[in-house]
Amino acid sequence: QVHLVESGGGLVQAGGSLRLSCAASGRAYRHYAMGWFRQAPGKERDFVAAISWGGSSTSYADSVKGRFTISRPNAKNTVYLQMNSLDVGDTAVYYCAVDYTDGVPSTDDNDYDSWGQGTQVTVSS
């Protein structure tokens, strides 16, 4: 299993941008997709974005399409989430996770096996 560490969260004003990073370490015996999820206080954890092992396939929640971009450079073990035009509704703890698949990444958090500790994103009005 891989170990995941997120970074890049913080406080930003509405309309601003943040870039989250997630670094995976440890030995993985299979290729894996990586995804971002978020959980606001008192709410369920929601899918945000995901990217396949090779980076050719991405998925986004409707609420973030056109504002967020997920990327995975050639190193494969790091994933980024560029978040632009942030609004207060984006306030949440953001988690990255691993889905051991070579195919299209899942949008269901039940399909993800390893999770990071989360990073707080707070958007002020």
Side-chain angles (χ1 to χ4, degrees):
Q1 292 237 351
V2 297
H3 177 65
L4 303 172
V5 177
E6 302 99 333
S7 61
L11 174 64
V12 64
Q13 286 190 327
S17 298
L18 282 175
R19 188 176 82 152
L20 304 183
S21 301
C22 176
S25 61
R27 191 159 234 181
Y29 295 95
R30 296 173 55 189
H31 291 170
Y32 51 89
M34 297 182 79
W36 287 97
F37 293 78
R38 66 187 181 186
Q39 188 167 21
K43 295 188 177 181
E44 294 186 349
R45 185 165 57 192
D46 291 330
F47 169 75
V48 176
I51 189 166
S52 61
W53 168 256
S56 61
S57 178
T58 57
S59 299
Y60 293 93
D62 288 342
S63 59
V64 307
K65 279 180 183 176
R67 300 188 299 124
F68 291 11
T69 302
I70 190 169
S71 63
R72 190 173 186 178
N74 293 334
K76 296 286 191 294
N77 61 346
T78 303
V79 65
Y80 300 99
L81 186 68
Q82 177 67 42
M83 306 186 295
N84 299 327
S85 302
L86 285 161
D87 62 47
V88 293
D90 295 314
T91 295
V93 177
Y94 283 70
Y95 299 91
C96 74
V98 160
D99 174 14
Y100 289 99
T101 178
D102 260 323
V104 176
S106 173
T107 62
D108 185 345
D109 61 353
N110 290 314
D111 292 328
Y112 285 76
D113 301 284
S114 299
W115 292 82
Q117 82 290 349
T119 185
Q120 176 70 47
V121 172
T122 303
V123 184
S124 63
S125 60

Short mmCIF file of all heavy atoms in Angstrom, two decimals, residues 29-86:
data_model
loop_
_atom_site.label_atom_id
_atom_site.label_comp_id
_atom_site.label_asym_id
_atom_site.label_seq_id
_atom_site.Cartn_x
_atom_site.Cartn_y
_atom_site.Cartn_z
N TYR A 29 2.44 -2.42 -6.07
CA TYR A 29 2.68 -3.51 -7.01
C TYR A 29 1.76 -3.47 -8.20
O TYR A 29 1.81 -4.33 -9.07
CB TYR A 29 2.56 -4.84 -6.27
CG TYR A 29 3.64 -5.02 -5.23
CD1 TYR A 29 3.41 -4.68 -3.91
CD2 TYR A 29 4.90 -5.49 -5.58
CE1 TYR A 29 4.39 -4.82 -2.96
CE2 TYR A 29 5.90 -5.64 -4.64
CZ TYR A 29 5.64 -5.30 -3.32
OH TYR A 29 6.62 -5.44 -2.38
N ARG A 30 0.90 -2.47 -8.20
CA ARG A 30 -0.01 -2.29 -9.31
C ARG A 30 -0.06 -0.82 -9.67
O ARG A 30 0.27 0.03 -8.86
CB ARG A 30 -1.42 -2.73 -8.91
CG ARG A 30 -1.57 -4.19 -8.58
CD ARG A 30 -2.95 -4.48 -8.03
NE ARG A 30 -3.99 -4.04 -8.94
CZ ARG A 30 -5.28 -4.02 -8.63
NH1 ARG A 30 -5.67 -4.41 -7.43
NH2 ARG A 30 -6.18 -3.62 -9.50
N HIS A 31 -0.46 -0.54 -10.91
CA HIS A 31 -0.71 0.83 -11.28
C HIS A 31 -1.95 1.33 -10.55
O HIS A 31 -2.82 0.53 -10.16
CB HIS A 31 -0.92 0.93 -12.79
CG HIS A 31 0.32 0.66 -13.58
ND1 HIS A 31 0.30 0.50 -14.95
CD2 HIS A 31 1.61 0.54 -13.20
CE1 HIS A 31 1.54 0.29 -15.36
NE2 HIS A 31 2.35 0.30 -14.32
N TYR A 32 -2.03 2.63 -10.39
CA TYR A 32 -3.17 3.17 -9.66
C TYR A 32 -3.59 4.53 -10.18
O TYR A 32 -2.75 5.32 -10.60
CB TYR A 32 -2.89 3.26 -8.15
CG TYR A 32 -1.60 3.96 -7.78
CD1 TYR A 32 -1.58 5.34 -7.59
CD2 TYR A 32 -0.43 3.25 -7.60
CE1 TYR A 32 -0.41 5.99 -7.23
CE2 TYR A 32 0.76 3.88 -7.25
CZ TYR A 32 0.76 5.25 -7.07
OH TYR A 32 1.91 5.89 -6.72
N ALA A 33 -4.86 4.74 -10.16
CA ALA A 33 -5.41 6.06 -10.41
C ALA A 33 -5.38 6.84 -9.10
O ALA A 33 -5.30 6.26 -8.01
CB ALA A 33 -6.84 5.94 -10.92
N MET A 34 -5.46 8.15 -9.22
CA MET A 34 -5.48 8.99 -8.03
C MET A 34 -6.66 9.95 -8.11
O MET A 34 -6.98 10.45 -9.19
CB MET A 34 -4.17 9.76 -7.88
CG MET A 34 -2.98 8.83 -7.68
SD MET A 34 -1.42 9.71 -7.42
CE MET A 34 -1.59 10.18 -5.68
N GLY A 35 -7.26 10.16 -6.97
CA GLY A 35 -8.43 11.02 -6.94
C GLY A 35 -8.40 12.00 -5.79
O GLY A 35 -7.65 11.82 -4.82
N TRP A 36 -9.20 13.03 -5.93
CA TRP A 36 -9.41 14.01 -4.87
C TRP A 36 -10.88 13.97 -4.45
O TRP A 36 -11.78 13.95 -5.30
CB TRP A 36 -9.06 15.42 -5.34
CG TRP A 36 -7.60 15.69 -5.49
CD1 TRP A 36 -6.87 15.63 -6.63
CD2 TRP A 36 -6.69 16.06 -4.45
NE1 TRP A 36 -5.55 15.93 -6.36
CE2 TRP A 36 -5.42 16.22 -5.03
CE3 TRP A 36 -6.83 16.30 -3.07
CZ2 TRP A 36 -4.29 16.59 -4.29
CZ3 TRP A 36 -5.71 16.67 -2.34
CH2 TRP A 36 -4.46 16.81 -2.94
N PHE A 37 -11.07 14.00 -3.16
CA PHE A 37 -12.40 14.07 -2.57
C PHE A 37 -12.39 15.20 -1.55
O PHE A 37 -11.33 15.65 -1.12
CB PHE A 37 -12.78 12.75 -1.89
CG PHE A 37 -12.97 11.61 -2.85
CD1 PHE A 37 -11.87 10.94 -3.39
CD2 PHE A 37 -14.23 11.20 -3.23
CE1 PHE A 37 -12.03 9.90 -4.29
CE2 PHE A 37 -14.41 10.15 -4.11
CZ PHE A 37 -13.31 9.51 -4.64
N ARG A 38 -13.57 15.65 -1.16
CA ARG A 38 -13.62 16.68 -0.13
C ARG A 38 -14.81 16.44 0.78
O ARG A 38 -15.82 15.85 0.38
CB ARG A 38 -13.71 18.07 -0.76
CG ARG A 38 -14.99 18.35 -1.53
CD ARG A 38 -14.87 19.71 -2.25
NE ARG A 38 -16.09 20.05 -2.98
CZ ARG A 38 -16.21 21.11 -3.77
NH1 ARG A 38 -15.18 21.93 -3.93
NH2 ARG A 38 -17.35 21.34 -4.39
N GLN A 39 -14.65 16.92 1.99
CA GLN A 39 -15.72 16.78 2.98
C GLN A 39 -15.86 18.08 3.76
O GLN A 39 -14.93 18.51 4.43
CB GLN A 39 -15.43 15.62 3.94
CG GLN A 39 -16.58 15.30 4.86
CD GLN A 39 -16.40 13.97 5.57
OE1 GLN A 39 -15.29 13.45 5.71
NE2 GLN A 39 -17.50 13.38 6.02
N ALA A 40 -17.03 18.68 3.62
CA ALA A 40 -17.35 19.89 4.36
C ALA A 40 -17.97 19.49 5.71
O ALA A 40 -18.50 18.39 5.84
CB ALA A 40 -18.31 20.75 3.57
N PRO A 41 -17.91 20.38 6.69
CA PRO A 41 -18.47 20.05 8.02
C PRO A 41 -19.94 19.65 7.93
O PRO A 41 -20.75 20.33 7.30
CB PRO A 41 -18.31 21.37 8.78
CG PRO A 41 -17.17 22.05 8.12
CD PRO A 41 -17.27 21.70 6.67
N GLY A 42 -20.25 18.52 8.53
CA GLY A 42 -21.63 18.05 8.57
C GLY A 42 -22.13 17.44 7.28
O GLY A 42 -23.31 17.11 7.17
N LYS A 43 -21.24 17.26 6.31
CA LYS A 43 -21.65 16.71 5.02
C LYS A 43 -20.88 15.45 4.70
O LYS A 43 -19.85 15.15 5.31
CB LYS A 43 -21.45 17.75 3.91
CG LYS A 43 -22.33 18.98 4.07
CD LYS A 43 -22.22 19.88 2.85
CE LYS A 43 -23.16 21.07 2.97
NZ LYS A 43 -23.07 21.96 1.78
N GLU A 44 -21.37 14.72 3.73
CA GLU A 44 -20.68 13.51 3.30
C GLU A 44 -19.46 13.87 2.44
O GLU A 44 -19.36 14.97 1.90
CB GLU A 44 -21.63 12.62 2.49
CG GLU A 44 -22.78 12.06 3.31
CD GLU A 44 -23.61 11.08 2.50
OE1 GLU A 44 -23.42 10.99 1.27
OE2 GLU A 44 -24.47 10.41 3.11
N ARG A 45 -18.59 12.89 2.32
CA ARG A 45 -17.43 13.08 1.47
C ARG A 45 -17.86 13.00 0.01
O ARG A 45 -18.56 12.08 -0.40
CB ARG A 45 -16.40 12.01 1.79
CG ARG A 45 -15.08 12.16 1.06
CD ARG A 45 -14.02 11.29 1.68
NE ARG A 45 -14.41 9.89 1.70
CZ ARG A 45 -13.76 8.96 2.39
NH1 ARG A 45 -12.73 9.29 3.14
NH2 ARG A 45 -14.16 7.71 2.34
N ASP A 46 -17.41 13.97 -0.78
CA ASP A 46 -17.81 14.07 -2.18
C ASP A 46 -16.62 13.93 -3.11
O ASP A 46 -15.52 14.40 -2.80
CB ASP A 46 -18.48 15.42 -2.46
CG ASP A 46 -19.83 15.56 -1.80
OD1 ASP A 46 -20.52 14.53 -1.63
OD2 ASP A 46 -20.19 16.70 -1.45
N PHE A 47 -16.88 13.38 -4.26
CA PHE A 47 -15.87 13.27 -5.31
C PHE A 47 -15.58 14.66 -5.87
O PHE A 47 -16.50 15.47 -6.05
CB PHE A 47 -16.37 12.35 -6.41
CG PHE A 47 -15.54 12.36 -7.66
CD1 PHE A 47 -14.31 11.72 -7.68
CD2 PHE A 47 -15.97 13.02 -8.79
CE1 PHE A 47 -13.53 11.74 -8.83
CE2 PHE A 47 -15.20 13.04 -9.94
CZ PHE A 47 -13.97 12.40 -9.96
N VAL A 48 -14.31 14.92 -6.17
CA VAL A 48 -13.92 16.18 -6.79
C VAL A 48 -13.34 15.94 -8.18
O VAL A 48 -13.82 16.48 -9.18
CB VAL A 48 -12.89 16.93 -5.92
CG1 VAL A 48 -12.41 18.19 -6.62
CG2 VAL A 48 -13.48 17.26 -4.56
N ALA A 49 -12.27 15.14 -8.25
CA ALA A 49 -11.60 14.89 -9.52
C ALA A 49 -10.76 13.64 -9.40
O ALA A 49 -10.38 13.24 -8.30
CB ALA A 49 -10.73 16.08 -9.91
N ALA A 50 -10.45 13.04 -10.54
CA ALA A 50 -9.60 11.84 -10.55
C ALA A 50 -8.86 11.78 -11.87
O ALA A 50 -9.29 12.34 -12.88
CB ALA A 50 -10.43 10.58 -10.34
N ILE A 51 -7.74 11.06 -11.83
CA ILE A 51 -6.90 10.93 -13.02
C ILE A 51 -6.33 9.52 -13.08
O ILE A 51 -5.99 8.93 -12.06
CB ILE A 51 -5.77 12.00 -12.99
CG1 ILE A 51 -5.01 12.03 -14.31
CG2 ILE A 51 -4.84 11.79 -11.81
CD1 ILE A 51 -4.13 13.28 -14.46
N SER A 52 -6.24 9.00 -14.28
CA SER A 52 -5.75 7.64 -14.46
C SER A 52 -4.25 7.56 -14.27
O SER A 52 -3.55 8.58 -14.17
CB SER A 52 -6.13 7.15 -15.87
OG SER A 52 -5.53 7.98 -16.85
N TRP A 53 -3.75 6.32 -14.26
CA TRP A 53 -2.32 6.09 -14.06
C TRP A 53 -1.48 6.86 -15.08
O TRP A 53 -0.51 7.52 -14.74
CB TRP A 53 -2.03 4.60 -14.16
CG TRP A 53 -0.57 4.27 -14.26
CD1 TRP A 53 0.11 3.89 -15.37
CD2 TRP A 53 0.39 4.29 -13.21
NE1 TRP A 53 1.44 3.68 -15.07
CE2 TRP A 53 1.63 3.91 -13.76
CE3 TRP A 53 0.32 4.59 -11.84
CZ2 TRP A 53 2.80 3.83 -12.99
CZ3 TRP A 53 1.47 4.51 -11.07
CH2 TRP A 53 2.70 4.13 -11.66
N GLY A 54 -1.84 6.78 -16.33
CA GLY A 54 -1.06 7.45 -17.38
C GLY A 54 -1.43 8.90 -17.58
O GLY A 54 -0.76 9.62 -18.32
N GLY A 55 -2.49 9.33 -16.93
CA GLY A 55 -2.90 10.72 -17.05
C GLY A 55 -3.81 11.03 -18.22
O GLY A 55 -4.21 12.18 -18.41
N SER A 56 -4.14 10.01 -19.01
CA SER A 56 -4.92 10.28 -20.21
C SER A 56 -6.41 10.40 -19.95
O SER A 56 -7.16 10.90 -20.79
CB SER A 56 -4.69 9.16 -21.23
OG SER A 56 -5.11 7.92 -20.70
N SER A 57 -6.85 9.93 -18.80
CA SER A 57 -8.27 9.97 -18.47
C SER A 57 -8.47 10.76 -17.18
O SER A 57 -7.81 10.49 -16.17
CB SER A 57 -8.81 8.55 -18.29
OG SER A 57 -10.16 8.58 -17.92
N THR A 58 -9.37 11.73 -17.22
CA THR A 58 -9.70 12.51 -16.04
C THR A 58 -11.21 12.59 -15.87
O THR A 58 -11.96 12.48 -16.84
CB THR A 58 -9.14 13.95 -16.12
OG1 THR A 58 -9.64 14.58 -17.30
CG2 THR A 58 -7.61 13.94 -16.17
N SER A 59 -11.62 12.78 -14.65
CA SER A 59 -13.03 12.97 -14.32
C SER A 59 -13.15 14.12 -13.34
O SER A 59 -12.27 14.30 -12.49
CB SER A 59 -13.62 11.70 -13.69
OG SER A 59 -13.54 10.60 -14.55
N TYR A 60 -14.25 14.84 -13.45
CA TYR A 60 -14.49 15.97 -12.55
C TYR A 60 -15.94 15.97 -12.09
O TYR A 60 -16.84 15.61 -12.85
CB TYR A 60 -14.22 17.30 -13.26
CG TYR A 60 -12.79 17.54 -13.63
CD1 TYR A 60 -12.31 17.19 -14.88
CD2 TYR A 60 -11.90 18.11 -12.72
CE1 TYR A 60 -10.99 17.40 -15.23
CE2 TYR A 60 -10.57 18.34 -13.06
CZ TYR A 60 -10.12 17.98 -14.31
OH TYR A 60 -8.81 18.19 -14.64
N ALA A 61 -16.13 16.41 -10.87
CA ALA A 61 -17.48 16.68 -10.42
C ALA A 61 -18.03 17.89 -11.17
O ALA A 61 -17.26 18.80 -11.53
CB ALA A 61 -17.49 16.96 -8.92
N ASP A 62 -19.31 17.90 -11.43
CA ASP A 62 -19.91 19.00 -12.17
C ASP A 62 -19.64 20.35 -11.50
O ASP A 62 -19.48 21.37 -12.17
CB ASP A 62 -21.42 18.79 -12.31
CG ASP A 62 -21.75 17.68 -13.28
OD1 ASP A 62 -20.88 17.30 -14.09
OD2 ASP A 62 -22.89 17.19 -13.24
N SER A 63 -19.60 20.33 -10.18
CA SER A 63 -19.45 21.58 -9.43
C SER A 63 -18.09 22.23 -9.60
O SER A 63 -17.92 23.41 -9.27
CB SER A 63 -19.71 21.32 -7.94
OG SER A 63 -18.80 20.36 -7.44
N VAL A 64 -17.11 21.47 -10.09
CA VAL A 64 -15.76 22.03 -10.22
C VAL A 64 -15.28 22.09 -11.67
O VAL A 64 -14.19 22.63 -11.93
CB VAL A 64 -14.74 21.24 -9.37
CG1 VAL A 64 -15.21 21.14 -7.93
CG2 VAL A 64 -14.46 19.87 -9.94
N LYS A 65 -16.04 21.56 -12.59
CA LYS A 65 -15.63 21.58 -13.99
C LYS A 65 -15.40 23.01 -14.46
O LYS A 65 -16.20 23.91 -14.19
CB LYS A 65 -16.70 20.92 -14.86
CG LYS A 65 -16.64 19.42 -14.88
CD LYS A 65 -17.73 18.83 -15.77
CE LYS A 65 -17.72 17.32 -15.73
NZ LYS A 65 -18.83 16.73 -16.51
N GLY A 66 -14.29 23.18 -15.15
CA GLY A 66 -13.95 24.51 -15.66
C GLY A 66 -13.20 25.37 -14.66
O GLY A 66 -12.66 26.41 -15.03
N ARG A 67 -13.18 24.94 -13.40
CA ARG A 67 -12.46 25.71 -12.37
C ARG A 67 -11.27 24.95 -11.81
O ARG A 67 -10.25 25.55 -11.47
CB ARG A 67 -13.41 26.06 -11.22
CG ARG A 67 -14.61 26.88 -11.62
CD ARG A 67 -15.39 27.35 -10.40
NE ARG A 67 -15.91 26.26 -9.61
CZ ARG A 67 -15.65 26.08 -8.30
NH1 ARG A 67 -14.87 26.93 -7.66
NH2 ARG A 67 -16.19 25.07 -7.64
N PHE A 68 -11.39 23.64 -11.70
CA PHE A 68 -10.34 22.80 -11.13
C PHE A 68 -9.68 21.98 -12.23
O PHE A 68 -10.35 21.55 -13.18
CB PHE A 68 -10.90 21.85 -10.08
CG PHE A 68 -11.38 22.49 -8.81
CD1 PHE A 68 -11.53 23.87 -8.68
CD2 PHE A 68 -11.71 21.70 -7.71
CE1 PHE A 68 -11.99 24.45 -7.51
CE2 PHE A 68 -12.16 22.26 -6.53
CZ PHE A 68 -12.30 23.64 -6.44
N THR A 69 -8.39 21.75 -12.07
CA THR A 69 -7.66 20.90 -13.01
C THR A 69 -6.80 19.93 -12.23
O THR A 69 -6.00 20.33 -11.39
CB THR A 69 -6.77 21.74 -13.94
OG1 THR A 69 -7.57 22.68 -14.64
CG2 THR A 69 -6.06 20.83 -14.94
N ILE A 70 -6.96 18.66 -12.54
CA ILE A 70 -6.13 17.62 -11.92
C ILE A 70 -5.02 17.26 -12.89
O ILE A 70 -5.23 17.19 -14.10
CB ILE A 70 -6.97 16.39 -11.53
CG1 ILE A 70 -6.16 15.43 -10.66
CG2 ILE A 70 -7.56 15.70 -12.75
CD1 ILE A 70 -7.00 14.32 -10.03
N SER A 71 -3.84 17.05 -12.37
CA SER A 71 -2.72 16.68 -13.23
C SER A 71 -1.80 15.71 -12.50
O SER A 71 -1.79 15.65 -11.27
CB SER A 71 -1.94 17.93 -13.67
OG SER A 71 -1.37 18.59 -12.56
N ARG A 72 -1.04 15.00 -13.31
CA ARG A 72 -0.16 13.96 -12.77
C ARG A 72 1.07 13.90 -13.66
O ARG A 72 1.05 13.31 -14.72
CB ARG A 72 -0.89 12.63 -12.76
CG ARG A 72 -0.20 11.53 -12.02
CD ARG A 72 -1.13 10.32 -11.94
NE ARG A 72 -0.57 9.29 -11.13
CZ ARG A 72 -1.18 8.15 -10.85
NH1 ARG A 72 -2.39 7.91 -11.35
NH2 ARG A 72 -0.61 7.25 -10.09
N PRO A 73 2.14 14.53 -13.27
CA PRO A 73 3.33 14.56 -14.11
C PRO A 73 3.94 13.19 -14.30
O PRO A 73 3.46 12.20 -13.73
CB PRO A 73 4.29 15.47 -13.33
CG PRO A 73 3.53 16.05 -12.23
CD PRO A 73 2.29 15.25 -12.02
N ASN A 74 4.98 13.13 -15.05
CA ASN A 74 5.58 11.85 -15.41
C ASN A 74 6.03 11.04 -14.21
O ASN A 74 6.20 9.83 -14.32
CB ASN A 74 6.76 12.08 -16.35
CG ASN A 74 6.31 12.60 -17.69
OD1 ASN A 74 5.18 12.36 -18.10
ND2 ASN A 74 7.17 13.34 -18.37
N ALA A 75 6.25 11.68 -13.10
CA ALA A 75 6.68 10.95 -11.91
C ALA A 75 5.62 9.99 -11.42
O ALA A 75 5.92 9.09 -10.65
CB ALA A 75 7.04 11.93 -10.80
N LYS A 76 4.40 10.20 -11.81
CA LYS A 76 3.27 9.31 -11.55
C LYS A 76 2.86 9.25 -10.08
O LYS A 76 1.73 8.95 -9.77
CB LYS A 76 3.54 7.87 -12.03
CG LYS A 76 3.73 7.72 -13.50
CD LYS A 76 2.41 7.87 -14.22
CE LYS A 76 2.48 7.49 -15.68
NZ LYS A 76 3.32 8.39 -16.47
N ASN A 77 3.81 9.46 -9.16
CA ASN A 77 3.45 9.29 -7.76
C ASN A 77 3.04 10.60 -7.11
O ASN A 77 2.93 10.69 -5.89
CB ASN A 77 4.62 8.66 -6.99
CG ASN A 77 5.86 9.54 -7.02
OD1 ASN A 77 5.95 10.46 -7.81
ND2 ASN A 77 6.81 9.22 -6.17
N THR A 78 2.83 11.64 -7.88
CA THR A 78 2.38 12.92 -7.38
C THR A 78 1.19 13.38 -8.21
O THR A 78 1.21 13.27 -9.43
CB THR A 78 3.49 13.98 -7.45
OG1 THR A 78 4.63 13.52 -6.72
CG2 THR A 78 3.01 15.30 -6.86
N VAL A 79 0.20 13.89 -7.54
CA VAL A 79 -0.97 14.43 -8.24
C VAL A 79 -1.23 15.83 -7.71
O VAL A 79 -1.02 16.11 -6.52
CB VAL A 79 -2.20 13.52 -8.06
CG1 VAL A 79 -2.66 13.47 -6.61
CG2 VAL A 79 -3.34 13.96 -8.97
N TYR A 80 -1.66 16.71 -8.60
CA TYR A 80 -1.94 18.09 -8.24
C TYR A 80 -3.41 18.40 -8.53
O TYR A 80 -4.01 17.84 -9.45
CB TYR A 80 -1.06 19.05 -9.03
CG TYR A 80 0.41 18.85 -8.81
CD1 TYR A 80 1.17 18.14 -9.73
CD2 TYR A 80 1.04 19.37 -7.68
CE1 TYR A 80 2.52 17.94 -9.53
CE2 TYR A 80 2.40 19.18 -7.47
CZ TYR A 80 3.14 18.47 -8.41
OH TYR A 80 4.49 18.28 -8.19
N LEU A 81 -3.92 19.31 -7.75
CA LEU A 81 -5.26 19.83 -8.02
C LEU A 81 -5.16 21.35 -8.03
O LEU A 81 -5.00 21.97 -6.97
CB LEU A 81 -6.26 19.36 -6.96
CG LEU A 81 -7.71 19.75 -7.25
CD1 LEU A 81 -8.24 18.99 -8.48
CD2 LEU A 81 -8.61 19.46 -6.04
N GLN A 82 -5.21 21.92 -9.22
CA GLN A 82 -5.20 23.37 -9.36
C GLN A 82 -6.64 23.85 -9.23
O GLN A 82 -7.51 23.43 -10.01
CB GLN A 82 -4.63 23.78 -10.71
CG GLN A 82 -4.65 25.28 -10.96
CD GLN A 82 -3.73 26.04 -10.03
OE1 GLN A 82 -2.61 25.61 -9.77
NE2 GLN A 82 -4.20 27.17 -9.53
N MET A 83 -6.88 24.72 -8.27
CA MET A 83 -8.24 25.19 -8.00
C MET A 83 -8.29 26.70 -8.24
O MET A 83 -7.61 27.46 -7.54
CB MET A 83 -8.63 24.86 -6.55
CG MET A 83 -8.47 23.39 -6.19
SD MET A 83 -9.10 22.98 -4.56
CE MET A 83 -7.98 23.92 -3.53
N ASN A 84 -9.08 27.09 -9.21
CA ASN A 84 -9.24 28.51 -9.55
C ASN A 84 -10.68 28.94 -9.29
O ASN A 84 -11.58 28.11 -9.15
CB ASN A 84 -8.89 28.74 -11.02
CG ASN A 84 -7.46 28.39 -11.34
OD1 ASN A 84 -6.57 28.55 -10.51
ND2 ASN A 84 -7.22 27.93 -12.56
N SER A 85 -10.87 30.23 -9.23
CA SER A 85 -12.21 30.80 -9.02
C SER A 85 -12.90 30.16 -7.82
O SER A 85 -14.07 29.77 -7.90
CB SER A 85 -13.06 30.64 -10.27
OG SER A 85 -12.45 31.26 -11.38
N LEU A 86 -12.19 30.06 -6.75
CA LEU A 86 -12.74 29.40 -5.56
C LEU A 86 -13.89 30.21 -4.98
O LEU A 86 -13.88 31.45 -5.02
CB LEU A 86 -11.64 29.23 -4.52
CG LEU A 86 -10.64 28.10 -4.82
CD1 LEU A 86 -9.36 28.29 -4.04
CD2 LEU A 86 -11.25 26.74 -4.55
#
